[in-house]
Amino acid sequence: MSKKDQYLEIILQTNEWFDKKIGQLQLIIENEKDSKILIQGKDGEKVELPEDLKNGFYFGIQTAIEVFGEFPVKITKPNDNN
């Protein structure tokens, strides 16, 4: 496999990973009303995030989605006319 093909494969795999992670974050936002947020301490005890803090949690996820935006690299196939 040539270096060019290796770079292309790395970019494609990274793009796929990025899209998957953004999709997971969007699922959290879409299911906000039906979700519980549990935080696990060092002792293993799980505590539910209080309602008054949940809005900030979801706001943080929404902000992350907006900041990440779209994957910064676009790959297009060359046109037969080029």
Side-chain angles (χ1 to χ4, degrees), residues 28-64:
I28 293 171
I29 297 297
E30 290 169 8
N31 295 302
E32 175 181 347
K33 302 293 183 217
D34 303 324
S35 298
K36 290 183 179 182
I37 302 168
L38 301 175
I39 300 172
Q40 184 171 341
K42 289 182 182 181
D43 61 356
E45 181 182 356
K46 293 180 183 177
V47 178
E48 185 173 352
L49 190 66
E51 285 295 320
D52 60 329
L53 298 178
K54 284 174 84 171
N55 287 340
F57 177 83
Y58 289 114
F59 178 75
I61 292 174
Q62 187 63 48
T63 301

Side-chain angles (χ1 to χ4, degrees), residues 5-23 69-75:
D5 290 339
Q6 289 176 340
Y7 292 138
L8 179 61
E9 185 64 25
I10 290 169
I11 291 170
L12 291 173
Q13 288 177 355
T14 305
N15 189 1
E16 189 176 306
W17 174 86
F18 180 88
D19 290 343
K20 182 179 178 183
K21 295 303 177 187
I22 292 294
E70 293 184 16
F71 191 70
V73 177
K74 298 288 180 210
I75 299 174

